[in-house]
Amino acid sequence: MGRPPCCDKANVKKGPWTPEEDAKLLAYTSTHGTGNWTSVPQRAGLKRCGKSCRLRYTNYLRPNLKHENFTQEEEELIVTLHAMLGSRWSLIANQLPGRTDNDVKNYWNTKLSKKLRQRGIDPITHRPIADLMQSIGTLAIRPPPAAGAAPPPCLPVFHDAPYFAALQHQHQQQQVVTHVDADAPASPDSQHLQLNWSDFLADDAAGHGADAPAPQAALGQYQEGSAPAATAVVGGGRAFGDVDGASAGVGAGTDDGAGAASAFIDAILDCDKEMGVDQLIAEMLADPAYYGGGGGSSSSELGWGC
DNA sequence: AAATCGGGCAACCGCGCGCAG
DNA sequence: CCTGCGCGCGGTTGCCCGATT
């Protein structure tokens, strides 16, 4: 019947770690590795929960961790990846050697999100706040969508760079908002790419016009050399950038756009399995066209380079 | 110099998934 | 097949410290 409890929760210490505890944990992990965290506290002589030990090790004691400030390049990468992945901090941190998901998350919450707001960009959707306000205003006077129609534009923004690239010809002269230069003045006149679930589903509802690339095609484009993209269309699924499916208002599995949405999601998940997300991200980042405004523009051309 | 405020960060909490028993 | 733990993850909290009044 199950496993024994990992630790006596009434007897474990909480709160900040002391140098002595750090030394014990480090000494143990350096000689024995980090195989089974539940046994680590006892073996290392610590009155801590294994979970706490793991956290302390991965966020602070692990070798090769960077403890200095984030560089401009790291900052840019975080914003770009957040625009593509949402708050999947572990995936983002994987692209930043020496940084932990906690580091990235804290840095985002304390610095980068504020910078984006100062620039008039919503840090959640990466869309200009003015446009969001306009959407809200439009939504307020918009009649309920007819059955089978695309959902209202209040759904979470879908920031998938490869898909952006595939739809670029539909959104010429626009670009993904990734500029975070807090010193530069906000540019309300600049045009930004504003693709979101609504765009995606609306495209699907329109049957992908003869010259409109299907999302599957977009996936196939960036999945070249891998397994066939989007072979399954299954109900349900999770929003991209929403690992737990906990974000409000997605509704991708219930409305009539669910087929396209879930197919796209499944394809993303297929990618995860087939080629590994890390590799995928690396490929996307290696090709500026994925997140550029077309014509292979680089991140610096998007305003990153200061 | 003291009090207050706000930012930054380490750590905790709770959840989902996979798997051992 | 069922139960419950291990693990990993994202969200949140609370403490510490520097800046400001």
Side-chain angles (χ1 to χ4, degrees), chain A residues 11 27 66 75 109 114 120 138 141 151 156 169 190 197 200 217 219 225 227 232 251 259 289 306:
Chain A
N11 252 340
K66 288 183 189 172
E75 208 171 83
N109 288 332
K114 290 175 187 173
T138 303
I141 61 173
H169 74 284
S190 64
W197 274 110
F200 184 80
L219 277 170
C306 303

Side-chain angles (χ1 to χ4, degrees), chain A residues 40-61:
Chain A
V40 166
Q42 185 183 7
R43 293 171 184 269
L46 292 164
K47 290 184 177 180
R48 292 273 182 175
C49 180
K51 197 172 178 176
S52 180
C53 292
R54 182 180 63 82
L55 206 61
R56 181 65 177 172
Y57 180 80
T58 56
N59 286 341
Y60 193 79
L61 298 175

Side-chain angles (χ1 to χ4, degrees), chain A residues 71-84:
Chain A
T71 65
Q72 175 78 21
E73 288 72 26
E74 288 175 316
E75 208 171 83
E76 294 166 2
L77 188 55
I78 291 170
V79 175
T80 301
L81 289 171
H82 188 272
M84 295 191 294

Side-chain angles (χ1 to χ4, degrees), chain A residues 268-282:
Chain A
I268 295 291
L269 296 177
D270 284 345
C271 290
D272 286 7
K273 293 177 183 175
E274 292 291 334
M275 59 192 299
V277 172
D278 287 356
Q279 184 183 346
L280 173 61
I281 293 170

Side-chain angles (χ1 to χ4, degrees), chain A residues 68-70 75 78-79 103-119 123 180 182:
Chain A
E68 58 266 32
N69 291 337
F70 281 79
E75 208 171 83
I78 291 170
V79 175
D103 284 338
V104 175
K105 180 173 57 182
N106 284 334
Y107 191 66
W108 174 267
N109 288 332
T110 58
K111 297 271 184 63
L112 292 181
S113 63
K114 290 175 187 173
K115 280 189 177 182
L116 285 171
R117 281 195 201 92
Q118 286 171 359
R119 288 274 299 126
V180 72

Side-chain angles (χ1 to χ4, degrees), chain A residues 53-248:
Chain A
C53 292
R54 182 180 63 82
L55 206 61
R56 181 65 177 172
Y57 180 80
T58 56
N59 286 341
Y60 193 79
L61 298 175
R62 188 157 48 98
N64 304 321
L65 281 182
K66 288 183 189 172
H67 295 293
E68 58 266 32
N69 291 337
F70 281 79
T71 65
Q72 175 78 21
E73 288 72 26
E74 288 175 316
E75 208 171 83
E76 294 166 2
L77 188 55
I78 291 170
V79 175
T80 301
L81 289 171
H82 188 272
M84 295 191 294
L85 300 168
S87 57
R88 297 170 77 171
W89 304 118
S90 60
L91 288 178
I92 295 172
N94 280 345
Q95 307 306 314
L96 296 160
R99 304 295 188 186
T100 70
D101 56 348
N102 213 31
D103 284 338
V104 175
K105 180 173 57 182
N106 284 334
Y107 191 66
W108 174 267
N109 288 332
T110 58
K111 297 271 184 63
L112 292 181
S113 63
K114 290 175 187 173
K115 280 189 177 182
L116 285 171
R117 281 195 201 92
Q118 286 171 359
R119 288 274 299 126
I121 298 166
D122 178 52
I124 298 173
T125 63
H126 292 258
R127 292 174 62 182
I129 292 172
D131 286 1
L132 290 175
M133 290 302 164
Q134 189 176 9
S135 294
I136 292 170
T138 303
L139 179 63
I141 61 173
R142 177 171 296 186
C154 58
L155 297 174
V157 172
F158 189 82
H159 284 280
D160 182 76
Y163 185 55
F164 286 165
L167 292 180
Q168 273 172 357
H169 74 284
Q170 291 180 297
H171 299 269
Q172 295 295 325
Q173 302 172 345
Q174 293 177 319
Q175 66 185 40
V176 183
V177 178
T178 54
H179 191 173
V180 72
D181 182 2
D183 298 326
S187 54
D189 295 331
S190 64
Q191 290 186 305
H192 302 285
L193 185 54
Q194 295 161 22
L195 289 176
N196 57 25
W197 274 110
S198 301
D199 296 323
F200 184 80
L201 297 175
D203 286 337
D204 180 70
H208 297 291
D211 58 344
Q216 285 83 355
L219 277 170
Q221 174 188 337
Y222 82 88
Q223 207 186 28
E224 58 186 4
S226 179
T231 54
V233 178
V234 186
R238 302 179 299 191
F240 192 54
D242 177 28
V243 177
D244 298 322
S247 293

